[in-house]
Amino acid sequence: MNHILLIGFMGSGKSTMAYRLSYRIKCSFIDTDKFIEKKAGCSIKSMFATRGEDYFREQETACLEALLSEKTSKILALGGGTPMRAENRILMRKLGTSIYLKASPETIYQRLKHDKVRPLLQGPNPKQAIEELLAIRDAIYEEAADYVISIDDKEMYEVLQEITEVALEIDKKEVSKKHKKEGR
Ligand code: S3P
């Protein structure tokens, strides 16, 4: 299956872009955070509080495994921490093509400074938490990504346009792969 996976830090716009892209290219989408919340019957925030982060990370891996059996190509918006586990990156390769929505710590901070739901940003110094996490994660997102789109100083419609172009390119490649297989 060749799903389109949107990856990147919290607040980089993965869910919003998945929703908009889905409308634009007529392809359904799944937000993995929502998938996990629905299955567990509780919010991620309360899952972190009652069962801990490790439990949540297990649910992320289980979610990717479950998505392997999806029969039609979809747009998948992944949680910001999902690519951190090596086993998840292997699953991501199997699931399809990843697009990294890359943002600077400042952009993320401006977007999330009033956030009340993301457990990793509820400490006394969210700015520092963003800088520290992003410093570790950026290289991993880059490594996991097939395409990188920088979102700093761009309007939402510009980012959507770039993602759409990449999605159409991915689709073209898939069609020509299929034709090659069929000997056309
Ligand atoms: C997390 C990102 C969140 C959510 C959880 C942990 C992370 O998703 O999965 O709070 O570790 O970066 P978003 O990236 O959609 O905010």
Side-chain angles (χ1 to χ4, degrees):
M1 197 45 59
N2 196 13
H3 302 295
I4 293 173
L5 286 67
L6 297 185
I7 66 170
F9 204 77
M10 296 172 260
S12 58
K14 302 173 300 274
S15 304
T16 310
M17 286 300 154
Y19 170 72
R20 295 195 170 224
L21 181 67
S22 123
Y23 185 75
R24 208 164 185 194
I25 65 171
K26 307 276 174 286
C27 172
S28 54
F29 81 99
I30 295 175
D31 183 312
T32 59
D33 283 346
K34 295 275 173 301
F35 182 104
I36 292 167
E37 288 181 332
K38 199 167 165 203
K39 189 170 157 227
C42 72
S43 69
I44 288 172
K45 191 180 179 190
S46 76
M47 194 182 286
F48 263 71
T50 57
R51 313 195 73 160
E53 181 172 351
D54 288 352
Y55 179 81
F56 169 70
R57 298 299 173 199
E58 291 301 326
Q59 304 318 301
E60 285 189 304
T61 302
C63 171
L64 296 183
E65 278 163 354
L67 290 173
L68 285 176
S69 53
E70 281 291 322
K71 295 281 179 287
T72 54
S73 286
K74 294 196 167 43
I75 300 157
L76 310 177
L78 267 49
T82 308
M84 297 309 114
R85 274 192 174 188
E87 62 180 306
N88 290 355
R89 295 198 291 280
I90 294 170
L91 290 165
M92 287 163 58
R93 289 257 161 246
K94 289 188 186 159
L95 283 165
T97 307
S98 293
I99 306 175
Y100 171 25
L101 303 184
K102 185 178 169 98
S104 67
E106 189 50 33
T107 298
I108 300 291
Y109 179 66
Q110 289 309 324
R111 290 179 175 204
L112 297 184
K113 59 185 173 191
H114 302 302
D115 180 83
K116 292 276 172 282
V117 296
R118 290 173 173 88
L120 299 180
L121 303 181
Q122 303 312 309
N125 195 342
K127 190 163 199 264
Q128 192 183 349
I130 291 168
E131 283 165 2
E132 288 175 4
L133 276 174
L134 196 52
I136 298 168
R137 290 181 173 188
D138 179 61
I140 299 172
Y141 293 137
E142 290 264 1
E143 186 216 306
D146 300 287
Y147 297 87
V148 179
I149 295 177
S150 169
I151 66 156
D152 291 330
D153 305 317
K154 285 182 190 155
E155 298 291 337
M156 204 195 273
Y157 76 89
E158 293 175 292
V159 177
L160 179 63
Q161 183 56 31
E162 287 189 43
I163 300 176
T164 307
E165 280 161 21
V166 168
L168 296 177
E169 190 182 313
I170 295 168
D171 188 51
K172 238 197 241 160
K173 277 190 193 158
E174 276 305 294
V175 172
S176 77
K177 244 199 261 168
K178 200 169 153 229
H179 284 179
K180 248 188 222 160
K181 242 196 225 161
E182 289 167 358
R184 276 199 246 167

